[in-house]
Structure formats: structure tokens, C-alpha cells
Amino acid sequence: MYDKLKEMYQSKGYDDALIPKLIITKNLYGIDIDEKAVEITNLLLRLKALEDGACEKIETNIVAVPKENSLTVNEEGQNEYLKKFEKIGSLMRTEDVLSLKESGINDERLKKALDILSLKYDVVLTNPPYLDSSDYDFELKRYINEDYSEFKKNLYACFIKKSCELVKMDGFVGMITPQTFMFIASYEKTRRFILDNFQIERLVHFGLGGVFDNALVDTAMFVLRRAEDSLKRPEGGSRKDSLKRPEGGSRKDSLTASEEESFGEYINLTSFNGKGSKKKALFSIWEDSLTASEEKKREDYISKYVFRVDKRLFKKVPRFPFIYWVDSDVVRTFENEPLEKFADARQGIATGDNKRFLRYFWEVKREDIKDGKKWVPYAKGGPYNKWYGNLWWVIAFDEENYNLLSKMGNYLPNRKYYFKKGITYTMTTSKGATFRYLPSGFLFDCKGSSLFFSKDEDIFRFLGLLNSSLFSYLESFIAGSVDLEVGDLKKLPVPQGMFEDSFETQVLEALGRLNVAIKKQNTEIYPNELHFNEESIDSVSKFYGFIERKNALDTYLLLSEGLIDVLVMKLYSLKERNFEEIYKTVGIPTAFIPFADDKGIKGLPPLKELLKNQYLSEFGLRQAQLTKIEKLIEEFYDNKIKSFSHLLPFDGGITNYHRREPYDNYVERKAEESFQNPVTVYNNMGSQEEILTKLGFIRIDNGIQRYLLNGDTGFIPFGFSIDEENRLLSYIFKDCSELERIVKKDLRDYVFKDYLKLHKKFYKDRPIVWKLGNKDRGFLVHYHNLNEKTKSNILGFLRKRIKETASRQMRNENKSFRDLMKIIESKNFEINIDEGVLKNSAIF
């Protein structure tokens, strides 16, 4: 600052000999609670003055807050003010500064510090402390809560507020802070304060690193100008009107002087890595801006890294995030009515003790899962998964547990919505929220909060809307934290034509129904799904038909999602340029990869040959509708797909693949790996050993479970006799040789070496087939069949082995069997299954 001020004085013709004293006594003021920092700063200024020929000692206006114990206190009230001043320094509010000045303390250091805080300044500059409220000590927390309750989340936010008190009208505030104030919910009032009291002249968004050598922090650097609230609407006009550009006119033509003032410049350096590259980019932008013409400066004049934005746009979006990169057309979607006008968005149950009340459904008995029994199906968020799924949980909800839950957790909120169909969603994933059909008969969790509608058809229309790329994009900046809270969801804008029976809404609804039906049918083969269809895996021969149908349906699912994106954009009247902005953030649909030839979607079987009647009936789809959907998809991808090819990344790859778990769309994965359209992938489908191996495991797992639950003994021995074990497995699996070919392993080796690890992972670390014994010898048993009969059968088997080895004088074997018998005898097989796998496996 000294050097910059020196240049300014010289440009005005001042005598060089006078300049150092003028700068130090008239221009530079500062205050800090750190005496050493003040001492070093004053020393540096005096050295500067000496270099410029000022030999006299010049008294600076940069001071430390005096320590309370170094001052003479006359009155009790003075002591409290001094304690506070020592603790919070320049955060002292103006009224406290005045009270302390008027209290009559006769100390020059204190008077000077108070005088400095009493002035108004042309420029306020600071790199304030970054201290989260969780790290405040007791005293600091008390003072901040008293004076800065709306800014208390972090000390730097308090300094934004204080800077406003210190700066003159039309003066400037310059700061470097973390970027958190720009987006996070807990800084909403800070953003509101900035918008109401300042014009944002320039903001440099550094992102991670780039500023400090020793602290890795996401930073922003900004210049604010103190101004009256410039966000008022023009006389007689709406805010929307004031932002319109006249037909054929430039932005300059359409703005009044006051409106022009609300524009600021935002520089995005987040894509540059490292301090050096960020600095180089910033100086390059700075130099370009200096040479740009005035006309050019009024437009988006530098590059893709610089945005000229009207701050009034930020107020259109809930929580006022500083989304400077978002096109104004997209921001204006928030002029539509919010979702809360059309749907009941409800927070679900927080039990207060999930270990006690929640189980995966396979941990309890099937006959105990339904309304009126002890366990009730329960939707609980889960991983990224669209349309249908993640319905793995049950909650204890009989009379006893209902009474407990109504007095703990969040006291069973929104009870009138229990067991109703709707939409549930995952509020927390690294890739954003995903929305799924919620069947009737379910309760829902606070992490799987849900939406309810007056009509069933609205469920499917809104599923399409909420799972579109546009909504993922809007959610990326409307969510106040990593979670999409119910309060955020309610504010998402709904297009005006959503409830009209237009072409777009009818197709949107039909595609929503189709996608839910596809997901449910394609997951019926998995026993860790409530709708598991055992018949679908009762023979290896059925695997191939299932894979063929699943791949075809997954291809239709991808094509449907691409078409939904276009329908939703049309409902919001967005333009093609908006697609590019949205897909840059959330990733372009895989279906938009250009076809390798002109065949379009030819080669796909008709939908009516793929979808089962039970799912068509469940989701209200008719055969005639399927034919119409096919025709629409064919027309769209034949005629429109080429217009999206320019949106694809130049490097020929897609980096936004995020559906690997729990639902693996094989076609999508291969399409993105090979950069081919999904239809091309489907038509050239080769060997699919990966999915066959998984189905082989499922078939083996199901066979073992059925035998353990329904067989005479309740156990499968291993490590006793290879011949006997092979005979038993051949009895359980009539297609033994085909399974061995699929899993590429001897079946006995697979079952006793690989199977249990896969089983544990498949059942999310809540395995229901257990191994009793040691690594080399023991028994497979089923969690649901641990009872005295199973125990007695195992002991009987061991007694027979002990008798045989004794008669043959096989001492080592005999001892091994006796040791195993002691282990089995020591266990209580009469467990309480309702207590769950984790608790029982720990004590068993």
C-alpha cells in the first residue's frame, strides 16, 4: 500500500520529501490484537520512509489493542469493555467503542486505538482470521453471539460485517477469505448482507490453493463497494422486466445507470492447479482487461474464465448463492412456482437409535414383514440410484416400538403420510441427490425424505423432472450443504406447463413409468431385493435370456433419460446454449454419443417383448403406449441426436460415469468406455463373463440358502470328506457342471473358499449364511435356522465322526473332531433373530 500511495502522490506532483510522512500519518491505519504483528508492520513502514529520505521518526496509526491488565481502571463497567476489546480487537461494535471512549480512561494507546475504530475509511483491506465457531473459546463465543449472531459461523464473516461499519459510502472493502460464504447455507445471511449493502465490483474465485504457501484452503478474493441497496425494482416494473434486454439492443442500451452499477466482474480460476498457474492466469486476465475497450468491458469480454454478472440474479435463487457462472436464463427458471406449491415434501423418521430399530430385511423373517407385524418396509436413502431401488430396510413398528419411537428421535413426524406411495430420494451422495419411486406400504427415513402428490400420475411426471440433468444442475448450487435438505428441495422451480396435458408432459409421465418398470424388472433376479423372483434363477439356462432382456431394457433406459432431458429443457423454454453449460457440470447423457452409422435405434427388440405384464400393470403402462414410446425414441434419435454431438468432450471420453453401484448398467459402462452410442454397444454385444459370474454366485447362494432352510439337517459340512461334499453339492445343484463353467472353478472349491466372502459383500456386511468351525473344517449354517434341532444334527454328525476315527485309531482326527464338538456345544443356538446379524454374530 505504501508503494501504491507513493505512486499516486508522485503523479499529483507532491514533493518527494513530504510523501513518506503524508502516507504514514494521513493514509494508513491499522489495528490488531497481536503486538508482534503491529511492531513488525511499523518497523517495515519506518524502513520504507528511511529509504525515501525521511530521517525523522514518524508516528504511525497502526496500533495494538492494549492489554486490559496494563491499564488503570476506574469503574467496574470499564473492566468488562476492556476485556472484550482485548479479546475481539477491531470487531468491537461502534456503540461499544463510543461507550469506552466516553468512560474517561486516560491512556494514550487506548485512545488512539479507539480513535482508529471511530473513523470511516475510503478503503478497508484485510485477510481476516479464519476460525470456525466450533473452535471459539467460551469468551469469544459469548461476544460473537452477542454482537454478530447472524455471522457467527466463522470469524471472517464477522469481519465482513465490521468492514461495512468502517467504510465510507462509495468506499471499498477488499478481502481474501474462504469461499464458503459464496454457497453454504450457514452463510446465507452473510450473502444477504453483502447484496443489501455492497456492490460486488470484482471477485476472484481461486478454489483450492493458489494464495497461501502453508495453508491449503479454498479461497476467494473480492472487492466490494459500499452502496445503498440497489436491488429495488424499477418504478411500476417487475424485477424480471428490469433484467430484460430490448429486442435487438445491447446490454448497454437496456440498462439505466443505477442498473449498470449492479454488474460486477467474476473471475473463475478453480480449474487451474497450483499457485503459479493461478497467478499467471489472473495476471493475464488483468492485462487483457486493461487493454479492452469500454464497449467490450460491458460484455463478457475476456474469456471463459471471466463473467460479468448482475448481482440481482443471485436474489432469484433460494439462499442467494453467488452462482456467477450460471446463465441468466437458467437462473430465471426460479421465477416459476416452487415445488412446495405442488407436492408435500416431508422429512422422514429419525429413530434416535438405528441399531435398535432398523434391520436389513433379510435379517428378519419374511413372514414378520408387513403392516401389522413387527417389521415394516422402510426407505432409507442409500447410494446413487435413480428410478427404483435401495429398498433394503425394515423398521420395528409394532405397538411396543411405535410407542418408543413416538417419544424419541424426531418423534415420528408427518404420520399421515406413512405407507403412502410417492417419491423418495437420497439426499447425500458425492454426485448429488437421486429420486426413486416409493411404493405404498413403506415408511421413510430422514435421509430418505419423500414427496407426496394428490394424483398418481404426478408421481411419474415429477420423477422424470427430478431425475433430469437440469435438476441435478440446479441442485448443485441450491443445496446449502452436501445434503439436499427438504427445505432446499421445496424451493426447486416447477415449469408452468407441468400440469397441462401437453405432448411434453404426457411423454414425460410415460417415460417415468417406463424407467421405474425397467429398473424393477431388471433387479428382480437379486435376492437382496424385496421383490426377488426366485423363478428367474432356478436354472442356468435362464441367465442368458435375462441378460439379453436386461441389456435391451438398459439401452432403452439410457435413451429414455436423454429424451427426458430434452423434454424438461423444453418445458422451461431453455436454449441449446444452456445444454452446454449444464452438461459441463453434471455430464452429458450417454445416449447422446453419436451413432457409428445411420441405423439409429434399429436392432433393439420391441419393448412389449421385453417387459413383463406384471410390471406393466403395476406401473400403469399399456402395450399401445410402449409402441408409441418406441416410435418417439426412434424419431428423436434419428433426427435430433446430431445436434448434440458438439456438446461432447473433445478428448473423446466421458468422465461422469457414476452408476456402478448398486445398479450396474453394463451397456452404459461399455458405451462410455468405448465412446459408442448405447445402441451400437447393444448391437455388438460380446461375451459377458462378468455378469454371468455374478449370476452364477446368485444361483449358488440361493441354492445353499434353500438347502440350509429346507433340508433335513440344517447344515453343510466342509473339510470332512471331499467325495461326500461333492455328492452333496451335486444333489443341491442339478446344473453343477454349468455353474462350474460360469464361475470358472471347481464348485466345491468355490463354495468353501470364495463363496462366503462374496456372500458377505452381497448382503452388505450382514451375512445370513455363517461358517462355524475353523478355516479348514466346519459347517455352513443359515442365520434363520440357528436352533436346537440344527445344533443337535451337527453334534450327531460329529459324534459319528468321533466314533469312526476312534475305531480306526486316528488320534489327530479324533482330537480335532472333539475340539470342534466342544465349540458347537458351547454355543446357544436359540438366538433372537430380531436382534440382527451384527449383534448375534458378535455373541455367537
Side-chain angles (χ1 to χ4, degrees):
M1 281 305 304
Y2 179 96
D3 292 340
K4 180 57 67 175
L5 286 162
K6 180 180 168 183
E7 286 178 21
M8 293 167 70
Y9 274 112
Q10 288 173 334
S11 70
K12 297 292 184 183
Y14 278 75
D15 185 346
D16 283 352
L18 298 175
I19 291 174
K21 187 172 183 178
L22 287 170
I23 292 173
I24 292 173
T25 60
K26 303 293 185 185
N27 298 127
L28 296 181
Y29 295 77
I31 192 165
D32 206 298
I33 60 171
D34 184 343
E35 289 182 346
K36 288 290 181 190
V38 170
E39 188 180 333
I40 292 167
T41 303
N42 283 329
L43 177 61
L44 289 170
L45 282 174
R46 285 172 182 142
L47 287 171
K48 283 278 188 186
L50 282 169
E51 286 175 356
D52 289 335
C55 297
E56 62 177 311
K57 184 176 180 180
I58 303 170
E59 198 64 38
T60 73
N61 292 309
I62 296 172
V63 300
V65 176
K67 299 286 187 248
E68 179 236 344
N69 59 15
S70 69
L71 299 168
T72 304
V73 179
N74 301 322
E75 299 174 23
E76 187 64 32
Q78 291 176 343
N79 193 54
E80 183 56 36
Y81 278 126
L82 291 170
K83 275 185 183 174
K84 184 174 183 179
F85 194 21
E86 185 179 336
K87 191 71 179 176
I88 68 171
S90 54
L91 285 180
M92 279 283 276
R93 299 299 301 272
T94 303
E95 51 267 35
D96 291 343
V97 170
L98 291 173
S99 296
L100 199 50
K101 282 182 78 171
E102 291 167 2
S103 66
I105 295 180
N106 190 22
D107 185 277
E108 290 304 316
R109 293 170 302 159
L110 178 61
K111 285 170 68 176
K112 190 165 188 177
L114 295 173
D115 285 343
I116 287 171
L117 283 179
S118 302
L119 295 173
K120 295 280 190 182
Y121 295 91
D122 298 289
V123 177
V124 176
L125 287 172
T126 180
N127 165 26
Y130 309 161
L131 189 70
D132 192 80
S133 55
S134 60
D135 296 318
Y136 294 173
D137 63 27
F138 175 79
E139 270 192 318
L140 182 59
K141 183 174 287 188
R142 178 163 67 89
Y143 294 139
I144 295 300
N145 284 343
E146 284 174 2
D147 293 345
Y148 295 92
S149 59
E150 294 185 346
F151 306 84
K152 64 185 178 183
K153 174 61 180 165
N154 197 297
L155 272 188
Y156 84 77
C158 303
F159 275 89
I160 292 175
K161 171 71 168 72
K162 182 61 186 178
S163 295
C164 186
E165 288 184 8
L166 289 170
V167 74
K168 296 175 184 176
M169 191 61 67
D170 284 324
F172 294 90
V173 172
M175 300 179 81
I176 298 174
T177 72
Q179 68 177 27
T180 45
F181 80 93
M182 297 171 66
F183 313 111
I184 293 177
S186 46
Y187 294 89
E188 179 181 338
K189 289 179 179 175
T190 303
R191 290 191 291 277
R192 180 71 188 241
F193 178 80
I194 291 171
L195 293 172
D196 285 348
N197 294 280
F198 291 105
Q199 168 53 28
I200 304 167
E201 296 287 313
R202 176 173 285 162
L203 185 147
V204 182
H205 187 189
F206 284 102
L208 190 63
V211 176
F212 305 108
D213 289 323
N214 301 317
L216 197 61
V217 60
D218 292 281
T219 52
M221 178 172 74
F222 49 90
V223 177
L224 310 175
R225 180 171 54 79
R226 181 85 165 90
E228 297 288 357
D229 183 5
S230 60
L231 299 177
K232 293 175 182 174
R233 296 176 186 178
E235 202 65 42
S238 69
R239 181 174 294 162
K240 182 176 179 181
D241 295 335
S242 72
L243 297 175
K244 281 185 177 175
R245 191 181 298 183
E247 201 65 44
S250 69
R251 182 178 290 162
K252 181 181 176 182
D253 297 333
S254 65
L255 295 173
T256 64
S258 62
E259 287 172 332
E260 175 65 26
E261 285 182 354
S262 66
F263 279 84
E265 185 177 286
Y266 299 78
I267 301 172
N268 187 350
L269 303 180
T270 58
S271 62
F272 294 93
N273 294 319
K275 187 173 179 179
S277 61
K278 288 179 190 284
K279 182 177 179 180
K280 183 178 177 182
L282 180 59
F283 275 84
S284 174
I285 290 167
W286 199 328
E287 287 167 10
D288 288 348
S289 69
L290 291 174
T291 58
S293 66
E294 285 303 311
E295 181 63 31
K296 194 70 175 163
K297 286 179 181 180
R298 291 182 182 274
E299 301 300 328
D300 301 328
Y301 65 91
I302 304 293
S303 68
K304 61 182 178 180
Y305 305 113
V306 180
F307 302 82
R308 185 166 159 73
V309 180
D310 186 337
K311 72 170 184 176
R312 293 175 296 172
L313 283 175
F314 300 153
K315 280 205 170 181
K316 290 181 174 291
V317 182
R319 297 192 192 278
F320 320 124
F322 288 4
I323 46 171
Y324 58 85
W325 65 91
V326 178
D327 189 275
S328 58
D329 287 344
V330 176
V331 175
R332 287 193 185 96
T333 62
F334 286 94
E335 292 173 354
N336 289 287
E337 296 281 11
L339 183 62
E340 62 187 338
K341 293 274 188 182
F342 311 107
D344 293 329
R346 300 294 166 180
Q347 186 187 51
I349 299 167
T351 68
D353 188 352
N354 283 353
K355 287 183 179 178
R356 178 174 186 168
F357 294 104
L358 300 187
R359 303 284 180 268
Y360 283 116
F361 76 82
W362 53 82
E363 295 185 74
V364 304
K365 292 187 175 177
R366 276 264 184 177
E367 56 265 30
D368 290 337
I369 303 175
K370 58 183 174 181
D371 188 14
K373 294 282 191 176
K374 177 171 183 178
W375 299 99
V376 169
Y378 190 69
K380 191 184 182 301
Y384 188 102
N385 202 11
K386 289 183 179 181
W387 308 111
Y388 189 89
N390 294 8
L391 300 174
W392 303 309
W393 293 88
V394 289
I395 184 171
F397 211 67
D398 54 359
E399 185 177 357
E400 177 189 349
N401 286 290
Y402 178 89
N403 290 333
L404 283 171
L405 285 163
S406 62
K407 297 170 188 171
M408 60 190 294
N410 61 355
Y411 314 115
L412 296 177
N414 299 309
R415 298 182 199 187
K416 74 174 185 175
Y417 296 94
Y418 293 176
F419 307 115
K420 289 188 174 182
K421 64 175 70 171
I423 295 173
T424 188
Y425 78 102
T426 298
M427 64 195 303
T428 309
T429 76
S430 60
K431 291 292 183 181
T434 45
F435 298 84
R436 294 173 296 281
Y437 178 73
L438 177 69
S440 57
F442 277 74
L443 298 180
F444 52 100
D445 188 80
C446 60
K447 286 289 184 182
S449 297
S450 300
L451 293 160
F452 300 93
F453 301 84
S454 56
K455 293 190 246 177
D456 282 0
E457 54 262 38
D458 293 342
I459 293 174
F460 298 101
R461 287 187 185 187
F462 275 86
L463 258 179
L465 194 69
L466 293 165
N467 277 328
S468 68
S469 293
L470 174 63
F471 257 64
S472 295
Y473 182 65
L474 297 180
E475 177 221 323
S476 70
F477 54 77
I478 194 178
S481 65
V482 293
D483 291 346
L484 179 66
E485 303 284 357
V486 168
D488 301 324
L489 182 61
K490 287 178 178 180
K491 303 300 181 189
L492 285 165
V494 174
Q496 288 180 351
M498 192 63 179
F499 295 94
E500 298 169 4
D501 274 333
S502 64
F503 169 80
E504 286 81 12
T505 56
Q506 288 179 354
V507 176
L508 188 64
E509 180 190 328
L511 292 175
R513 293 178 187 273
L514 173 68
N515 294 350
V516 174
I518 287 173
K519 283 293 289 288
K520 188 166 186 182
Q521 179 171 314
N522 280 356
T523 50
E524 70 171 12
I525 202 164
Y526 301 121
N528 62 354
E529 298 288 350
L530 270 168
H531 63 289
F532 169 54
N533 176 11
E534 193 170 4
E535 289 182 5
S536 63
I537 57 164
D538 58 13
S539 72
V540 171
S541 61
K542 290 186 177 180
F543 291 178
Y544 302 96
F546 169 80
I547 293 171
E548 175 69 23
R549 280 196 309 277
K550 180 180 184 298
N551 285 333
L553 286 170
D554 279 345
T555 305
Y556 273 114
L557 181 67
L558 296 172
L559 298 173
S560 169
E561 288 179 342
L563 181 51
I564 282 172
D565 266 12
V566 176
L567 291 168
V568 168
M569 301 279 200
K570 194 169 181 183
L571 282 168
Y572 285 99
S573 302
L574 291 176
K575 301 177 180 66
E576 193 175 296
R577 63 184 167 85
N578 302 130
F579 283 74
E580 188 166 0
E581 174 193 338
I582 291 161
Y583 290 142
K584 197 164 102 179
T585 300
V586 302
I588 191 166
T590 311
F592 288 174
I593 300 174
F595 291 96
D597 49 44
D598 295 326
K599 293 180 181 177
I601 70 164
K602 290 178 176 63
L604 282 174
L607 275 170
K608 62 184 180 183
E609 293 178 8
L610 300 171
L611 279 168
K612 296 183 178 180
N613 288 330
Q614 70 186 82
Y615 297 117
L616 295 181
S617 174
E618 181 179 355
F619 298 112
L621 285 165
R622 299 182 304 278
Q623 296 277 1
Q625 274 183 297
L626 297 182
T627 304
K628 283 184 181 177
I629 289 170
E630 278 177 53
K631 188 174 180 183
L632 283 170
I633 288 174
E634 183 176 3
E635 287 175 356
F636 172 74
Y637 285 94
D638 280 351
N639 300 323
K640 303 284 187 183
I641 189 67
K642 288 173 185 173
S643 65
F644 294 103
S645 58
H646 73 283
L647 302 177
L648 291 164
F650 293 112
D651 58 4
I654 292 181
T655 57
N656 288 74
Y657 185 75
H658 43 237
R659 294 184 187 85
R660 294 187 190 274
E661 292 294 341
Y663 182 80
D664 186 12
N665 187 328
Y666 181 85
V667 176
E668 180 176 39
R669 184 151 47 90
K670 291 300 176 186
E672 295 186 349
E673 287 171 2
S674 62
F675 202 65
Q676 297 181 74
N677 186 274
V679 180
T680 305
V681 170
Y682 173 78
N683 286 330
N684 295 287
M685 199 70 75
S687 172
Q688 293 174 56
E689 299 298 326
E690 186 182 330
I691 190 168
L692 274 172
T693 302
K694 187 173 184 179
L695 294 178
F697 158 76
I698 289 168
R699 171 83 176 92
I700 291 166
D701 179 62
N702 189 63
I704 288 172
Q705 289 197 48
R706 297 284 70 77
Y707 178 80
L708 292 174
L709 289 171
N710 303 323
D712 295 332
T713 63
F715 69 88
I716 294 173
F718 68 92
F720 294 93
S721 167
I722 292 174
D723 289 341
E724 288 179 22
E725 288 151 15
N726 278 331
R727 280 197 295 273
L728 178 57
L729 292 174
S730 295
Y731 169 77
I732 296 172
F733 302 105
K734 306 303 182 190
D735 46 6
C736 188
S737 59
E738 292 176 84
L739 283 171
E740 288 181 328
R741 181 172 53 79
I742 288 173
V743 299
K744 296 183 175 62
K745 205 161 193 177
D746 174 80
L747 192 57
R748 181 183 174 280
D749 281 353
Y750 182 88
V751 169
F752 299 131
K753 291 179 182 177
D754 301 335
Y755 162 69
L756 284 173
K757 289 180 187 173
L758 296 168
H759 174 87
K760 183 180 180 183
K761 182 180 178 182
F762 187 77
Y763 287 96
K764 307 180 190 305
D765 292 327
R766 304 292 194 281
I768 46 180
V769 174
W770 293 4
K771 179 174 78 171
L772 305 183
N774 55 43
K775 181 180 177 183
D776 300 316
R777 180 172 290 155
F779 306 92
L780 300 186
V781 295
H782 198 288
Y783 173 64
H784 287 192
N785 209 14
L786 287 172
N787 52 45
E788 283 304 313
K789 182 183 176 185
T790 302
K791 180 176 182 177
S792 176
N793 288 340
I794 291 173
L795 291 174
F797 175 90
L798 285 171
R799 288 190 193 101
K800 184 179 177 183
R801 294 284 168 168
I802 290 168
K803 189 175 179 180
E804 288 174 356
T805 52
S807 65
R808 296 178 191 172
Q809 296 185 336
M810 300 166 68
R811 291 183 182 178
N812 289 339
E813 290 290 278
N814 190 274
K815 183 180 182 304
S816 173
F817 296 153
R818 287 181 184 277
D819 290 343
L820 194 52
M821 191 166 182
K822 285 178 186 176
I823 293 171
I824 301 299
E825 284 177 329
S826 70
K827 302 298 179 189
N828 176 16
F829 274 54
E830 293 293 344
I831 64 170
N832 181 353
I833 285 179
D834 284 347
E835 289 187 336
V837 167
L838 287 183
K839 187 169 183 179
N840 281 308
S841 62
I843 63 173
F844 195 80

